[in-house]
Amino acid sequence: MAKAKTNTEDYLRMYRQMVRIRTFEDNANQLYLSAKMPGLTHMYSGEEAVAVGICEALTDDDRITSTHRGHGHCVAKGAEFKEMFCELLGKAEGYCRGKGGSMHIADQSHGNLGANAIVGGSMGIATGSALRAKLMGKDDVTVCFFGDGATAQGLMYEVMNMAALWNLPVIYACENNGYSEYTKTEEIAAGSITARAEAFGIEAHTVDGQDVLAVNELTQKLVARARKGEGPFFMELMTYRYHGHHVGDINREYYRSKDEEKDWKDNRDPIIRFRAFLVSEGIATEEEIEAMNAEIEKNATEAVAYAEQAPYPPANEVDMHVYAD
Amino acid sequence: MREITLSQAVNEALAEEMRRDPSVFILGEDVAEAGTPFKVLSGLVEEFGTDRVVDTPISEPGFVGMAVGAAMTGARPVVDLMFGDFIYLVMDQLCNQAAKQHYMSGGKLTVPMVLRTNLGATRRSAAQHSQSLQALVAHIPGLKVALPSSAYEAKGLMKTAIRDNNPVVIFEDKLMYQDKAPVPEEEYLIPFGEANVKREGRDITLIATSSMVQVAEKAAEMLASEGIDAEVIDPRTIVPLDEATLLDSVKKTSRAIVIDEGHQSYGVTAEIASRLNEKAFYHLDAPVLRMGAMDVPVPFSPALEDLTVPTPEAVVENARKLCAGEMIHAA
């Protein structure tokens, strides 16, 4: 594994954040399976090293835009379980007072401009946030998360062109999990994804999205350069989603095999890999890690129980927040 | 009072607001040195520089999306969409993104942006540069929609739009850019949701938007010579809509025609007429009439194009029939 941070606290926080995401998703999946969650949701499990490796290189002033598969970004950018589970259940104490739900969860206090249920829909928002930073003389950086499927949207090429023309402080983070909904990426993407960014003169990198330190090391470098006006940058993060496109996508052997899923889970899991690294480097003992895992599980269980009991928004909120004052 | 063109009025509004608030900037195609094809923005880049008058590539979804992101993070962009017809290109960014951010975030995110664009046929520009698409955006909760009818309104509404904390779409009539009107030297704003009674009358209410206000005023003059006293009202913004002023007028006159240059079916005229029917039915002596553009793509040939939009003569004919009771049992 690549070494980016030498600080033990940083390592442990990255591990904790990855486990928090996995635990959040496991609980969210259970809420869906037990029919306690309205609608459906898209699991981030398997991709934790991407969100955590990137967001750990950002400050609260830095912005991100997220996707329909956005719980991981939300946790990694600093959100709390209680408000997140409340949002998933449509409760008043959710981050968006229950009006956004899983696909629109936003936490602007930590710079998360929100998940977006239109594939590729937030690329303009992210690039505009970077334009604002440049015009107003701020040094914050915006990271635009999107999947390989979104590379088929025309908006991406319009905004990458402008970001490159104007040297905007934006980093395009393409989470390539191999599947565009129910279709293999190779069937929807001609040529190379990074070459598309390079065509605009944007420096592009491909990185192992299952290696949190590699992701973090690269992001730190790119963020520092973007702050100095050397942006934009493009990262293709090779990763894998353990669940289907959404929680209801159970029978998926028509587009990918169980053997393939097992191989990623057994041999390339970002949490298992990082845990082994922490133990072998003497940063944490197995016991300490188990204790951390248990504490996170307890936090999640308590947050779910809280959210289940929490009140729904009152009826008078239905036409509130259509317009700002 | 001095008179300036609608174009100068918009230019002044932008310049004043950009001087007042450094977070205001302009983004769009050929907005800087070119000052737009209609030359509305001429001179602004000289005062504010290319950092605040930003020329973009021909990428409407891209730069409108970027305006949304800039607005969500503390700027106040004014996006210039060269022709109102291009709204179709930016529907996702405008209607799925800008319009919904405040609501979806439970009131935490705001999108204080202005999208200024235009409407209006009879410029011989054919079907893709002549449409009046205000009904499309007025249908979407979260957007405000202003339709200035003169230089005075264009300035006052633009200044209000820039200070509003919501996405506002302003449609200027592209044939009115050189029309002059009295505009005060001193600063003023026109609040949204306040209709303007342009002419008082007792017999029939003509509710008209944008350049159709001129059509209604001409019709009212012609009707006066026939002894029909028409009231003319300009809603100025259709979202929010000053329903109270429209209802008060209709309750007084008992008859109304609603005139707007968008297509008639499922349009602005239908919405306003429906509200009057629902809320003033027992005060009406005749059905409320809609007069929109014909439900056809705008044709190029002048001989055909001129047939597609409401004219003063057509308004007079309808008003005359309504006042004579001829249309009460119309098919």
Side-chain angles (χ1 to χ4, degrees), chain A residues 1 14 18 21-22 44 46-55 145 175 208-216 219 237 239 268-271 273-274:
Chain A
M1 277 197 153
M14 280 195 266
M18 289 202 292
I21 293 171
R22 183 72 57 87
Y44 197 74
E47 305 185 14
E48 292 88 349
V50 174
V52 172
I54 289 174
C55 291
F145 286 101
E175 305 176 308
D208 179 358
Q210 307 307 88
D211 179 348
V212 70
L213 292 185
V215 173
N216 185 253
T219 311
L237 303 115
T239 186
R268 302 181 66 175
D269 183 82
I271 296 174
R273 286 173 72 180
F274 196 48

PDB file of all heavy atoms in Angstrom, chain A residues 1 14 18 21-22 44 46-55 145 175 208-216 219 237 239 268-271 273-274:
ATOM      1  N   MET A   1       0.825  -1.206   0.000  1.00  0.00           N
ATOM      2  CA  MET A   1       0.000   0.000   0.000  1.00  0.00           C
ATOM      3  C   MET A   1       0.855   1.250   0.000  1.00  0.00           C
ATOM      4  O   MET A   1       1.879   1.320   0.656  1.00  0.00           O
ATOM      5  CB  MET A   1      -0.869   0.033   1.254  1.00  0.00           C
ATOM      6  CG  MET A   1      -2.136  -0.780   1.116  1.00  0.00           C
ATOM      7  SD  MET A   1      -3.298  -0.299   2.392  1.00  0.00           S
ATOM      8  CE  MET A   1      -4.822  -0.704   1.586  1.00  0.00           C
ATOM      9  N   MET A  14      -9.348   7.399   8.974  1.00  0.00           N
ATOM     10  CA  MET A  14      -9.746   6.893   7.648  1.00  0.00           C
ATOM     11  C   MET A  14     -10.373   5.509   7.768  1.00  0.00           C
ATOM     12  O   MET A  14     -11.373   5.213   7.123  1.00  0.00           O
ATOM     13  CB  MET A  14      -8.526   6.859   6.708  1.00  0.00           C
ATOM     14  CG  MET A  14      -8.207   8.221   6.121  1.00  0.00           C
ATOM     15  SD  MET A  14      -7.082   8.146   4.711  1.00  0.00           S
ATOM     16  CE  MET A  14      -5.532   8.390   5.542  1.00  0.00           C
ATOM     17  N   MET A  18     -14.310   4.577   6.866  1.00  0.00           N
ATOM     18  CA  MET A  18     -14.702   3.516   5.926  1.00  0.00           C
ATOM     19  C   MET A  18     -15.663   2.536   6.589  1.00  0.00           C
ATOM     20  O   MET A  18     -16.654   2.115   5.993  1.00  0.00           O
ATOM     21  CB  MET A  18     -13.454   2.786   5.391  1.00  0.00           C
ATOM     22  CG  MET A  18     -12.637   3.632   4.425  1.00  0.00           C
ATOM     23  SD  MET A  18     -11.587   2.652   3.330  1.00  0.00           S
ATOM     24  CE  MET A  18     -10.403   1.976   4.502  1.00  0.00           C
ATOM     25  N   ILE A  21     -19.104   4.016   6.889  1.00  0.00           N
ATOM     26  CA  ILE A  21     -19.880   3.948   5.652  1.00  0.00           C
ATOM     27  C   ILE A  21     -20.460   2.546   5.469  1.00  0.00           C
ATOM     28  O   ILE A  21     -21.657   2.374   5.212  1.00  0.00           O
ATOM     29  CB  ILE A  21     -19.004   4.334   4.431  1.00  0.00           C
ATOM     30  CG1 ILE A  21     -18.615   5.808   4.503  1.00  0.00           C
ATOM     31  CG2 ILE A  21     -19.755   4.049   3.127  1.00  0.00           C
ATOM     32  CD1 ILE A  21     -17.570   6.229   3.473  1.00  0.00           C
ATOM     33  N   ARG A  22     -19.592   1.526   5.614  1.00  0.00           N
ATOM     34  CA  ARG A  22     -20.072   0.136   5.424  1.00  0.00           C
ATOM     35  C   ARG A  22     -21.219  -0.166   6.404  1.00  0.00           C
ATOM     36  O   ARG A  22     -22.230  -0.767   6.035  1.00  0.00           O
ATOM     37  CB  ARG A  22     -18.907  -0.832   5.641  1.00  0.00           C
ATOM     38  CG  ARG A  22     -19.250  -2.305   5.406  1.00  0.00           C
ATOM     39  CD  ARG A  22     -19.442  -2.654   3.941  1.00  0.00           C
ATOM     40  NE  ARG A  22     -18.298  -2.330   3.108  1.00  0.00           N
ATOM     41  CZ  ARG A  22     -17.244  -3.138   2.891  1.00  0.00           C
ATOM     42  NH1 ARG A  22     -17.204  -4.344   3.447  1.00  0.00           N
ATOM     43  NH2 ARG A  22     -16.251  -2.752   2.114  1.00  0.00           N
ATOM     44  N   TYR A  44     -23.340   2.131  -1.294  1.00  0.00           N
ATOM     45  CA  TYR A  44     -21.970   2.527  -1.611  1.00  0.00           C
ATOM     46  C   TYR A  44     -20.963   1.450  -1.206  1.00  0.00           C
ATOM     47  O   TYR A  44     -19.768   1.563  -1.491  1.00  0.00           O
ATOM     48  CB  TYR A  44     -21.668   3.849  -0.886  1.00  0.00           C
ATOM     49  CG  TYR A  44     -20.470   4.601  -1.405  1.00  0.00           C
ATOM     50  CD1 TYR A  44     -20.521   5.280  -2.616  1.00  0.00           C
ATOM     51  CD2 TYR A  44     -19.266   4.629  -0.682  1.00  0.00           C
ATOM     52  CE1 TYR A  44     -19.426   5.978  -3.092  1.00  0.00           C
ATOM     53  CE2 TYR A  44     -18.166   5.332  -1.145  1.00  0.00           C
ATOM     54  CZ  TYR A  44     -18.248   6.007  -2.356  1.00  0.00           C
ATOM     55  OH  TYR A  44     -17.155   6.702  -2.827  1.00  0.00           O
ATOM     56  N   GLY A  46     -18.301  -1.228  -0.725  1.00  0.00           N
ATOM     57  CA  GLY A  46     -17.263  -1.657  -1.659  1.00  0.00           C
ATOM     58  C   GLY A  46     -16.444  -0.499  -2.195  1.00  0.00           C
ATOM     59  O   GLY A  46     -15.314  -0.675  -2.644  1.00  0.00           O
ATOM     60  N   GLU A  47     -17.040   0.708  -2.143  1.00  0.00           N
ATOM     61  CA  GLU A  47     -16.365   1.882  -2.734  1.00  0.00           C
ATOM     62  C   GLU A  47     -15.834   2.842  -1.661  1.00  0.00           C
ATOM     63  O   GLU A  47     -15.445   3.970  -1.968  1.00  0.00           O
ATOM     64  CB  GLU A  47     -17.341   2.618  -3.668  1.00  0.00           C
ATOM     65  CG  GLU A  47     -17.943   1.713  -4.735  1.00  0.00           C
ATOM     66  CD  GLU A  47     -18.810   2.456  -5.748  1.00  0.00           C
ATOM     67  OE1 GLU A  47     -18.755   3.696  -5.810  1.00  0.00           O
ATOM     68  OE2 GLU A  47     -19.561   1.776  -6.477  1.00  0.00           O
ATOM     69  N   GLU A  48     -15.783   2.377  -0.409  1.00  0.00           N
ATOM     70  CA  GLU A  48     -15.499   3.279   0.720  1.00  0.00           C
ATOM     71  C   GLU A  48     -14.179   4.027   0.609  1.00  0.00           C
ATOM     72  O   GLU A  48     -14.063   5.181   1.029  1.00  0.00           O
ATOM     73  CB  GLU A  48     -15.511   2.486   2.041  1.00  0.00           C
ATOM     74  CG  GLU A  48     -16.867   1.960   2.455  1.00  0.00           C
ATOM     75  CD  GLU A  48     -17.186   0.587   1.874  1.00  0.00           C
ATOM     76  OE1 GLU A  48     -16.446   0.115   0.988  1.00  0.00           O
ATOM     77  OE2 GLU A  48     -18.179  -0.026   2.310  1.00  0.00           O
ATOM     78  N   ALA A  49     -13.164   3.344   0.059  1.00  0.00           N
ATOM     79  CA  ALA A  49     -11.834   3.977   0.012  1.00  0.00           C
ATOM     80  C   ALA A  49     -11.827   5.208  -0.891  1.00  0.00           C
ATOM     81  O   ALA A  49     -11.014   6.116  -0.704  1.00  0.00           O
ATOM     82  CB  ALA A  49     -10.792   2.973  -0.464  1.00  0.00           C
ATOM     83  N   VAL A  50     -12.754   5.242  -1.841  1.00  0.00           N
ATOM     84  CA  VAL A  50     -12.809   6.388  -2.755  1.00  0.00           C
ATOM     85  C   VAL A  50     -13.273   7.631  -1.996  1.00  0.00           C
ATOM     86  O   VAL A  50     -12.583   8.662  -1.952  1.00  0.00           O
ATOM     87  CB  VAL A  50     -13.754   6.093  -3.942  1.00  0.00           C
ATOM     88  CG1 VAL A  50     -13.920   7.329  -4.813  1.00  0.00           C
ATOM     89  CG2 VAL A  50     -13.226   4.913  -4.757  1.00  0.00           C
ATOM     90  N   ALA A  51     -14.466   7.538  -1.381  1.00  0.00           N
ATOM     91  CA  ALA A  51     -15.014   8.705  -0.679  1.00  0.00           C
ATOM     92  C   ALA A  51     -14.102   9.140   0.455  1.00  0.00           C
ATOM     93  O   ALA A  51     -13.831  10.339   0.633  1.00  0.00           O
ATOM     94  CB  ALA A  51     -16.409   8.387  -0.149  1.00  0.00           C
ATOM     95  N   VAL A  52     -13.601   8.167   1.222  1.00  0.00           N
ATOM     96  CA  VAL A  52     -12.800   8.518   2.399  1.00  0.00           C
ATOM     97  C   VAL A  52     -11.420   9.043   1.980  1.00  0.00           C
ATOM     98  O   VAL A  52     -10.960  10.059   2.502  1.00  0.00           O
ATOM     99  CB  VAL A  52     -12.672   7.300   3.338  1.00  0.00           C
ATOM    100  CG1 VAL A  52     -11.685   7.590   4.471  1.00  0.00           C
ATOM    101  CG2 VAL A  52     -14.042   6.942   3.908  1.00  0.00           C
ATOM    102  N   GLY A  53     -10.794   8.379   1.034  1.00  0.00           N
ATOM    103  CA  GLY A  53      -9.478   8.829   0.589  1.00  0.00           C
ATOM    104  C   GLY A  53      -9.525  10.251   0.062  1.00  0.00           C
ATOM    105  O   GLY A  53      -8.625  11.059   0.299  1.00  0.00           O
ATOM    106  N   ILE A  54     -10.604  10.584  -0.629  1.00  0.00           N
ATOM    107  CA  ILE A  54     -10.740  11.935  -1.181  1.00  0.00           C
ATOM    108  C   ILE A  54     -11.146  12.936  -0.103  1.00  0.00           C
ATOM    109  O   ILE A  54     -10.504  13.979   0.078  1.00  0.00           O
ATOM    110  CB  ILE A  54     -11.748  11.941  -2.348  1.00  0.00           C
ATOM    111  CG1 ILE A  54     -11.140  11.227  -3.563  1.00  0.00           C
ATOM    112  CG2 ILE A  54     -12.160  13.376  -2.712  1.00  0.00           C
ATOM    113  CD1 ILE A  54     -12.079  11.041  -4.737  1.00  0.00           C
ATOM    114  N   CYS A  55     -12.202  12.640   0.625  1.00  0.00           N
ATOM    115  CA  CYS A  55     -12.722  13.633   1.581  1.00  0.00           C
ATOM    116  C   CYS A  55     -11.753  13.904   2.724  1.00  0.00           C
ATOM    117  O   CYS A  55     -11.757  15.000   3.289  1.00  0.00           O
ATOM    118  CB  CYS A  55     -14.087  13.198   2.103  1.00  0.00           C
ATOM    119  SG  CYS A  55     -15.362  13.280   0.832  1.00  0.00           S
ATOM    120  N   PHE A 145     -18.004  14.183  -7.586  1.00  0.00           N
ATOM    121  CA  PHE A 145     -18.085  12.720  -7.661  1.00  0.00           C
ATOM    122  C   PHE A 145     -19.100  12.326  -8.734  1.00  0.00           C
ATOM    123  O   PHE A 145     -20.175  12.923  -8.833  1.00  0.00           O
ATOM    124  CB  PHE A 145     -18.565  12.141  -6.323  1.00  0.00           C
ATOM    125  CG  PHE A 145     -17.533  12.166  -5.225  1.00  0.00           C
ATOM    126  CD1 PHE A 145     -17.569  13.138  -4.229  1.00  0.00           C
ATOM    127  CD2 PHE A 145     -16.542  11.191  -5.171  1.00  0.00           C
ATOM    128  CE1 PHE A 145     -16.638  13.145  -3.203  1.00  0.00           C
ATOM    129  CE2 PHE A 145     -15.599  11.190  -4.147  1.00  0.00           C
ATOM    130  CZ  PHE A 145     -15.649  12.170  -3.159  1.00  0.00           C
ATOM    131  N   GLU A 175     -15.847   7.529 -10.252  1.00  0.00           N
ATOM    132  CA  GLU A 175     -15.852   6.250  -9.536  1.00  0.00           C
ATOM    133  C   GLU A 175     -16.233   5.170 -10.537  1.00  0.00           C
ATOM    134  O   GLU A 175     -17.409   4.960 -10.813  1.00  0.00           O
ATOM    135  CB  GLU A 175     -16.874   6.308  -8.402  1.00  0.00           C
ATOM    136  CG  GLU A 175     -16.646   7.473  -7.452  1.00  0.00           C
ATOM    137  CD  GLU A 175     -17.711   7.585  -6.371  1.00  0.00           C
ATOM    138  OE1 GLU A 175     -18.920   7.596  -6.703  1.00  0.00           O
ATOM    139  OE2 GLU A 175     -17.342   7.651  -5.186  1.00  0.00           O
ATOM    140  N   ASP A 208      -6.016   3.026  -7.928  1.00  0.00           N
ATOM    141  CA  ASP A 208      -6.715   1.883  -7.329  1.00  0.00           C
ATOM    142  C   ASP A 208      -7.689   2.410  -6.272  1.00  0.00           C
ATOM    143  O   ASP A 208      -7.268   2.856  -5.210  1.00  0.00           O
ATOM    144  CB  ASP A 208      -5.691   0.930  -6.700  1.00  0.00           C
ATOM    145  CG  ASP A 208      -6.359  -0.267  -6.041  1.00  0.00           C
ATOM    146  OD1 ASP A 208      -7.619  -0.347  -6.036  1.00  0.00           O
ATOM    147  OD2 ASP A 208      -5.624  -1.130  -5.517  1.00  0.00           O
ATOM    148  N   GLY A 209      -8.950   2.372  -6.585  1.00  0.00           N
ATOM    149  CA  GLY A 209      -9.965   2.906  -5.680  1.00  0.00           C
ATOM    150  C   GLY A 209     -10.228   2.036  -4.468  1.00  0.00           C
ATOM    151  O   GLY A 209     -11.068   2.374  -3.639  1.00  0.00           O
ATOM    152  N   GLN A 210      -9.528   0.916  -4.353  1.00  0.00           N
ATOM    153  CA  GLN A 210      -9.679   0.056  -3.164  1.00  0.00           C
ATOM    154  C   GLN A 210      -8.539   0.286  -2.177  1.00  0.00           C
ATOM    155  O   GLN A 210      -8.462  -0.378  -1.153  1.00  0.00           O
ATOM    156  CB  GLN A 210      -9.728  -1.426  -3.581  1.00  0.00           C
ATOM    157  CG  GLN A 210     -10.774  -1.745  -4.646  1.00  0.00           C
ATOM    158  CD  GLN A 210     -12.168  -1.261  -4.301  1.00  0.00           C
ATOM    159  OE1 GLN A 210     -12.540  -0.117  -4.592  1.00  0.00           O
ATOM    160  NE2 GLN A 210     -12.950  -2.120  -3.668  1.00  0.00           N
ATOM    161  N   ASP A 211      -7.667   1.220  -2.504  1.00  0.00           N
ATOM    162  CA  ASP A 211      -6.494   1.509  -1.663  1.00  0.00           C
ATOM    163  C   ASP A 211      -6.643   2.934  -1.131  1.00  0.00           C
ATOM    164  O   ASP A 211      -6.346   3.916  -1.818  1.00  0.00           O
ATOM    165  CB  ASP A 211      -5.227   1.364  -2.517  1.00  0.00           C
ATOM    166  CG  ASP A 211      -3.954   1.665  -1.748  1.00  0.00           C
ATOM    167  OD1 ASP A 211      -4.031   2.204  -0.610  1.00  0.00           O
ATOM    168  OD2 ASP A 211      -2.871   1.367  -2.284  1.00  0.00           O
ATOM    169  N   VAL A 212      -7.110   3.043   0.104  1.00  0.00           N
ATOM    170  CA  VAL A 212      -7.465   4.355   0.638  1.00  0.00           C
ATOM    171  C   VAL A 212      -6.259   5.292   0.704  1.00  0.00           C
ATOM    172  O   VAL A 212      -6.382   6.496   0.489  1.00  0.00           O
ATOM    173  CB  VAL A 212      -8.177   4.221   2.012  1.00  0.00           C
ATOM    174  CG1 VAL A 212      -7.219   3.753   3.097  1.00  0.00           C
ATOM    175  CG2 VAL A 212      -8.845   5.531   2.407  1.00  0.00           C
ATOM    176  N   LEU A 213      -5.084   4.725   0.986  1.00  0.00           N
ATOM    177  CA  LEU A 213      -3.904   5.587   1.079  1.00  0.00           C
ATOM    178  C   LEU A 213      -3.468   6.090  -0.289  1.00  0.00           C
ATOM    179  O   LEU A 213      -3.033   7.230  -0.425  1.00  0.00           O
ATOM    180  CB  LEU A 213      -2.751   4.841   1.773  1.00  0.00           C
ATOM    181  CG  LEU A 213      -2.969   4.534   3.257  1.00  0.00           C
ATOM    182  CD1 LEU A 213      -1.711   3.908   3.850  1.00  0.00           C
ATOM    183  CD2 LEU A 213      -3.353   5.780   4.041  1.00  0.00           C
ATOM    184  N   ALA A 214      -3.605   5.248  -1.289  1.00  0.00           N
ATOM    185  CA  ALA A 214      -3.251   5.694  -2.641  1.00  0.00           C
ATOM    186  C   ALA A 214      -4.191   6.803  -3.094  1.00  0.00           C
ATOM    187  O   ALA A 214      -3.762   7.810  -3.678  1.00  0.00           O
ATOM    188  CB  ALA A 214      -3.323   4.514  -3.610  1.00  0.00           C
ATOM    189  N   VAL A 215      -5.468   6.624  -2.797  1.00  0.00           N
ATOM    190  CA  VAL A 215      -6.448   7.652  -3.165  1.00  0.00           C
ATOM    191  C   VAL A 215      -6.151   8.943  -2.423  1.00  0.00           C
ATOM    192  O   VAL A 215      -6.143  10.036  -3.003  1.00  0.00           O
ATOM    193  CB  VAL A 215      -7.889   7.165  -2.853  1.00  0.00           C
ATOM    194  CG1 VAL A 215      -8.893   8.296  -3.083  1.00  0.00           C
ATOM    195  CG2 VAL A 215      -8.238   5.941  -3.692  1.00  0.00           C
ATOM    196  N   ASN A 216      -5.880   8.816  -1.127  1.00  0.00           N
ATOM    197  CA  ASN A 216      -5.644   9.996  -0.302  1.00  0.00           C
ATOM    198  C   ASN A 216      -4.372  10.737  -0.723  1.00  0.00           C
ATOM    199  O   ASN A 216      -4.348  11.967  -0.801  1.00  0.00           O
ATOM    200  CB  ASN A 216      -5.561   9.577   1.172  1.00  0.00           C
ATOM    201  CG  ASN A 216      -5.427  10.773   2.092  1.00  0.00           C
ATOM    202  OD1 ASN A 216      -4.363  11.031   2.643  1.00  0.00           O
ATOM    203  ND2 ASN A 216      -6.506  11.528   2.237  1.00  0.00           N
ATOM    204  N   THR A 219      -5.032  12.549  -3.972  1.00  0.00           N
ATOM    205  CA  THR A 219      -5.957  13.673  -3.788  1.00  0.00           C
ATOM    206  C   THR A 219      -5.271  14.842  -3.082  1.00  0.00           C
ATOM    207  O   THR A 219      -5.465  15.998  -3.460  1.00  0.00           O
ATOM    208  CB  THR A 219      -7.199  13.230  -2.993  1.00  0.00           C
ATOM    209  OG1 THR A 219      -7.712  12.036  -3.557  1.00  0.00           O
ATOM    210  CG2 THR A 219      -8.270  14.308  -3.017  1.00  0.00           C
ATOM    211  N   LEU A 237     -11.136   6.348 -10.530  1.00  0.00           N
ATOM    212  CA  LEU A 237     -10.889   5.490  -9.380  1.00  0.00           C
ATOM    213  C   LEU A 237     -11.513   4.129  -9.646  1.00  0.00           C
ATOM    214  O   LEU A 237     -12.739   4.007  -9.753  1.00  0.00           O
ATOM    215  CB  LEU A 237     -11.467   6.138  -8.118  1.00  0.00           C
ATOM    216  CG  LEU A 237     -10.881   7.545  -7.886  1.00  0.00           C
ATOM    217  CD1 LEU A 237     -11.955   8.600  -8.010  1.00  0.00           C
ATOM    218  CD2 LEU A 237     -10.174   7.616  -6.542  1.00  0.00           C
ATOM    219  N   THR A 239     -12.990   0.828  -8.895  1.00  0.00           N
ATOM    220  CA  THR A 239     -13.628   0.327  -7.682  1.00  0.00           C
ATOM    221  C   THR A 239     -14.730  -0.657  -8.050  1.00  0.00           C
ATOM    222  O   THR A 239     -14.807  -1.097  -9.209  1.00  0.00           O
ATOM    223  CB  THR A 239     -14.128   1.513  -6.820  1.00  0.00           C
ATOM    224  OG1 THR A 239     -14.626   1.030  -5.578  1.00  0.00           O
ATOM    225  CG2 THR A 239     -15.200   2.326  -7.541  1.00  0.00           C
ATOM    226  N   ARG A 268     -10.109  -7.836  -2.640  1.00  0.00           N
ATOM    227  CA  ARG A 268      -9.785  -6.421  -2.873  1.00  0.00           C
ATOM    228  C   ARG A 268     -10.589  -5.487  -1.974  1.00  0.00           C
ATOM    229  O   ARG A 268     -10.666  -4.296  -2.243  1.00  0.00           O
ATOM    230  CB  ARG A 268     -10.041  -6.071  -4.357  1.00  0.00           C
ATOM    231  CG  ARG A 268      -9.222  -6.942  -5.286  1.00  0.00           C
ATOM    232  CD  ARG A 268      -9.450  -6.575  -6.741  1.00  0.00           C
ATOM    233  NE  ARG A 268      -8.942  -5.242  -7.047  1.00  0.00           N
ATOM    234  CZ  ARG A 268      -8.932  -4.717  -8.276  1.00  0.00           C
ATOM    235  NH1 ARG A 268      -9.408  -5.414  -9.291  1.00  0.00           N
ATOM    236  NH2 ARG A 268      -8.466  -3.511  -8.486  1.00  0.00           N
ATOM    237  N   ASP A 269     -11.166  -6.031  -0.927  1.00  0.00           N
ATOM    238  CA  ASP A 269     -12.012  -5.187  -0.061  1.00  0.00           C
ATOM    239  C   ASP A 269     -11.165  -4.085   0.590  1.00  0.00           C
ATOM    240  O   ASP A 269     -10.136  -4.365   1.210  1.00  0.00           O
ATOM    241  CB  ASP A 269     -12.686  -6.023   1.020  1.00  0.00           C
ATOM    242  CG  ASP A 269     -13.607  -5.180   1.863  1.00  0.00           C
ATOM    243  OD1 ASP A 269     -14.745  -4.943   1.427  1.00  0.00           O
ATOM    244  OD2 ASP A 269     -13.182  -4.698   2.935  1.00  0.00           O
ATOM    245  N   PRO A 270     -11.585  -2.830   0.467  1.00  0.00           N
ATOM    246  CA  PRO A 270     -10.758  -1.723   0.965  1.00  0.00           C
ATOM    247  C   PRO A 270     -10.612  -1.726   2.486  1.00  0.00           C
ATOM    248  O   PRO A 270      -9.576  -1.308   3.015  1.00  0.00           O
ATOM    249  CB  PRO A 270     -11.522  -0.478   0.497  1.00  0.00           C
ATOM    250  CG  PRO A 270     -12.925  -0.929   0.272  1.00  0.00           C
ATOM    251  CD  PRO A 270     -12.833  -2.362  -0.160  1.00  0.00           C
ATOM    252  N   ILE A 271     -11.626  -2.208   3.182  1.00  0.00           N
ATOM    253  CA  ILE A 271     -11.567  -2.199   4.649  1.00  0.00           C
ATOM    254  C   ILE A 271     -10.672  -3.339   5.144  1.00  0.00           C
ATOM    255  O   ILE A 271      -9.820  -3.139   6.017  1.00  0.00           O
ATOM    256  CB  ILE A 271     -12.993  -2.288   5.241  1.00  0.00           C
ATOM    257  CG1 ILE A 271     -13.777  -1.023   4.840  1.00  0.00           C
ATOM    258  CG2 ILE A 271     -12.944  -2.445   6.751  1.00  0.00           C
ATOM    259  CD1 ILE A 271     -15.240  -1.034   5.239  1.00  0.00           C
ATOM    260  N   ARG A 273      -8.283  -4.772   3.531  1.00  0.00           N
ATOM    261  CA  ARG A 273      -6.891  -4.453   3.175  1.00  0.00           C
ATOM    262  C   ARG A 273      -6.286  -3.443   4.135  1.00  0.00           C
ATOM    263  O   ARG A 273      -5.147  -3.592   4.594  1.00  0.00           O
ATOM    264  CB  ARG A 273      -6.825  -3.889   1.753  1.00  0.00           C
ATOM    265  CG  ARG A 273      -7.014  -4.918   0.687  1.00  0.00           C
ATOM    266  CD  ARG A 273      -7.114  -4.259  -0.682  1.00  0.00           C
ATOM    267  NE  ARG A 273      -5.814  -3.741  -1.149  1.00  0.00           N
ATOM    268  CZ  ARG A 273      -5.655  -3.120  -2.329  1.00  0.00           C
ATOM    269  NH1 ARG A 273      -6.688  -2.940  -3.126  1.00  0.00           N
ATOM    270  NH2 ARG A 273      -4.463  -2.707  -2.695  1.00  0.00           N
ATOM    271  N   PHE A 274      -7.040  -2.408   4.442  1.00  0.00           N
ATOM    272  CA  PHE A 274      -6.482  -1.358   5.293  1.00  0.00           C
ATOM    273  C   PHE A 274      -6.330  -1.838   6.734  1.00  0.00           C
ATOM    274  O   PHE A 274      -5.378  -1.479   7.428  1.00  0.00           O
ATOM    275  CB  PHE A 274      -7.349  -0.101   5.202  1.00  0.00           C
ATOM    276  CG  PHE A 274      -6.686   1.139   5.729  1.00  0.00           C
ATOM    277  CD1 PHE A 274      -5.387   1.468   5.353  1.00  0.00           C
ATOM    278  CD2 PHE A 274      -7.346   1.980   6.619  1.00  0.00           C
ATOM    279  CE1 PHE A 274      -4.759   2.613   5.829  1.00  0.00           C
ATOM    280  CE2 PHE A 274      -6.725   3.124   7.111  1.00  0.00           C
ATOM    281  CZ  PHE A 274      -5.436   3.439   6.712  1.00  0.00           C
TER     282      PHE A 274
END
